[in-house]
Amino acid sequence: MIAVKYFGAIAEKTKIQGEEISFSDLPLHQLLASLEKKYQLNALSFSVAINQKIVQDKANYILKSNDIVALLPPFAGG
């Protein structure tokens, strides 16, 4: 099971705070493509964190059971 959490504009667009996906050993890029299609997220800019760490290499990351994926809006400095 993989938990997906939504924040900011992404949560507003999906109308939920998160959901659980019944997969493990799932490529991150495949999950993101599925979520972008399901919720039409392609117009939104967001970062991806897995287990509270920002992921830069989305193309090659494989999600494991119990991972927590967070879709985060752009951060403002200050």
Side-chain angles (χ1 to χ4, degrees):
M1 189 77 69
I2 296 166
V4 182
K5 298 183 182 241
Y6 306 113
F7 296 92
I10 297 108
E12 291 173 18
K13 180 82 171 177
T14 62
K15 299 187 181 359
I16 56 175
Q17 297 294 313
E19 61 187 304
E20 291 187 341
I21 310 292
S22 302
F23 287 99
S24 61
D25 298 327
L26 176 70
L28 176 59
H29 69 86
Q30 188 176 335
L31 173 67
L32 293 176
S34 174
L35 294 174
E36 286 177 8
K37 183 176 179 181
K38 181 177 179 181
Y39 298 114
Q40 291 85 43
L41 299 177
N42 51 352
L44 298 175
S45 175
F46 58 87
S47 296
V48 178
I50 299 173
N51 302 326
Q52 301 182 346
K53 294 185 181 180
I54 298 291
V55 174
Q56 302 297 332
D57 184 11
K58 297 178 190 100
N60 296 313
Y61 196 97
I62 304 296
L63 295 165
K64 302 290 182 201
S65 186
N66 298 321
D67 276 348
I68 300 171
V69 178
L71 304 187
L72 307 167
F75 298 104

